[in-house]
Amino acid sequence: MRLPFLPMILLASVLSACDNSNKFADETVSSLGISYQMREFKRQGGSKCPSETATTVKAEDALCASVKFSYPEISSATQPELATKMNELIKQQLLDQIEGTPSELVATQSLEAFADSFIQDYTQDSNNFTSWELERSVRIIHNTNTLLTLLFEEFGFTGGAHPFNGSRFIVLNLANAQPVSLDDLMNPGYEAALNVAGEKAFREARQLTDHSSLEEDGFNFANNAFVLNDNYGVNKDGLSFIFNSYEVAPYVMGPTEFTIPYEDIRSLIRPNGLLGSKAQ
């Protein structure tokens, strides 16, 4: 699944302070010589945007576009090619645009150019009677000796009735920095049983009764039958999923995040796969 991220990003200076806590916690991963530092980009612009040193600014004079991005920069003295691949993937996600944008454009575009585009769109909008903002972050939320889960989050406002937001997981194979699908982790024919376990976890997260109608509860699944999406992440306790706003429910109901415990799906996991340690 790709969220409809808008074609915009930041310009800016890099705050590259090193934090010793920003390391992969698993010793087997650390033994590969992989670590990371958090980087932050931020900038604001616009014809009525106050300077960063301004102390008192009227609300009507504080119209500008602001952008903030934070992400891990991977490094490895022993596996530099792996680190490079991971950094390229993170950049591609930060620069993600609406569906249909040529991938080669994303690959060659810089953060600075993307930020310029965002600020320029704001200054050229004749209806910009309020400020715009965009914030995107990438976090490493879990790793094993074979897998790494990244969480991409976005929040922004470019006019309209309400802000936009979304989150998505990407699970990477630490051997080659390639995305891993559920098909790679689960035994063939897993889908039906995983959907059953997923619906149980979904209903618990939403505090729904076991047999209530999803449609009557406000959720929009085809034929009123629960089906998981592919927005999943591997974590310590199970497989986490996110349904973003509008995906299966109105915006006012917000997103739904839930975790299917490994104990409920052990028989579905490939014993010789990348998640094999969680199988029976």
Side-chain angles (χ1 to χ4, degrees):
M1 181 191 73
R2 295 182 61 200
L3 298 177
F5 280 8
L6 301 178
M8 49 197 169
I9 205 173
L10 62 155
L11 182 50
S13 59
V14 179
L15 306 179
S16 58
C18 178
D19 181 351
N20 290 331
S21 66
N22 287 335
K23 303 291 184 182
F24 292 96
D26 193 285
E27 292 183 358
T28 56
V29 176
S30 298
S31 69
L32 299 177
I34 300 173
S35 61
Y36 69 91
Q37 293 177 317
M38 291 303 297
R39 305 291 187 180
E40 184 177 277
F41 288 75
K42 56 183 177 180
R43 179 158 180 190
Q44 60 185 23
S47 59
K48 290 188 177 182
C49 194
S51 67
E52 294 184 1
T53 59
T55 56
T56 58
V57 180
K58 294 181 180 180
E60 61 268 24
D61 296 328
L63 298 176
C64 58
S66 61
V67 195
K68 178 181 179 181
F69 276 46
S70 60
Y71 63 95
E73 182 177 77
I74 311 297
S75 61
S76 174
T78 58
Q79 298 200 60
E81 292 184 359
L82 179 65
T84 296
K85 288 181 180 179
M86 295 174 71
N87 287 327
E88 288 176 349
L89 182 142
I90 288 171
K91 177 194 172 186
Q92 289 172 359
Q93 299 302 315
L94 288 172
L95 293 174
D96 196 15
Q97 303 184 52
I98 58 174
E99 291 285 353
T101 300
S103 58
E104 59 270 19
L105 176 61
V106 176
T108 59
Q109 195 168 33
S110 67
L111 302 183
E112 292 79 6
F114 212 36
D116 280 340
S117 176
F118 176 72
I119 295 172
Q120 183 178 17
D121 286 348
Y122 175 75
T123 58
Q124 293 180 349
D125 187 342
S126 59
N127 296 316
N128 58 353
F129 303 119
T130 184
S131 294
W132 286 9
E133 63 178 310
L134 173 68
E135 183 171 350
R136 291 178 177 175
S137 67
V138 181
R139 292 188 290 127
I140 296 173
I141 63 168
H142 184 65
N143 67 270
T144 68
N145 62 332
T146 57
L147 297 171
L148 179 100
T149 299
L150 297 170
L151 178 62
F152 298 82
E153 298 175 293
E154 176 184 68
F155 173 85
F157 180 76
T158 55
H162 49 69
F164 57 87
N165 57 77
S167 304
R168 66 169 175 255
F169 294 111
I170 289 187
V171 180
L172 297 180
N173 183 340
L174 279 175
N176 54 22
Q178 292 298 308
V180 176
S181 70
L182 285 170
D183 290 347
D184 298 322
L185 302 179
M186 314 301 281
N187 289 317
Y190 70 89
E191 292 87 352
L194 188 62
N195 281 330
V196 171
E199 181 171 1
K200 175 185 175 183
F202 178 91
R203 287 178 177 273
E204 290 176 353
R206 279 293 187 171
Q207 298 183 328
L208 307 178
T209 61
D210 292 342
H211 303 291
S212 65
S213 167
L214 291 170
E215 183 175 4
E216 292 179 0
D217 287 329
F219 298 96
N220 181 27
F221 289 94
N223 300 317
N224 198 29
F226 179 89
V227 178
L228 289 165
N229 59 15
D230 58 0
N231 190 3
Y232 88 99
V234 172
N235 66 36
K236 179 181 179 181
D237 301 316
L239 299 180
S240 292
F241 289 81
I242 297 175
F243 285 104
N244 283 291
S245 298
Y246 287 127
E247 192 171 352
V248 295
Y251 179 87
V252 69
M253 294 183 67
T256 306
E257 181 174 355
F258 56 96
T259 297
I260 304 174
Y262 289 125
E263 61 189 41
D264 291 349
I265 55 171
R266 293 193 191 281
S267 63
L268 305 180
I269 300 172
R270 291 179 184 265
N272 297 322
L274 295 173
L275 199 59
S277 62
K278 303 298 184 181
Q280 288 182 337

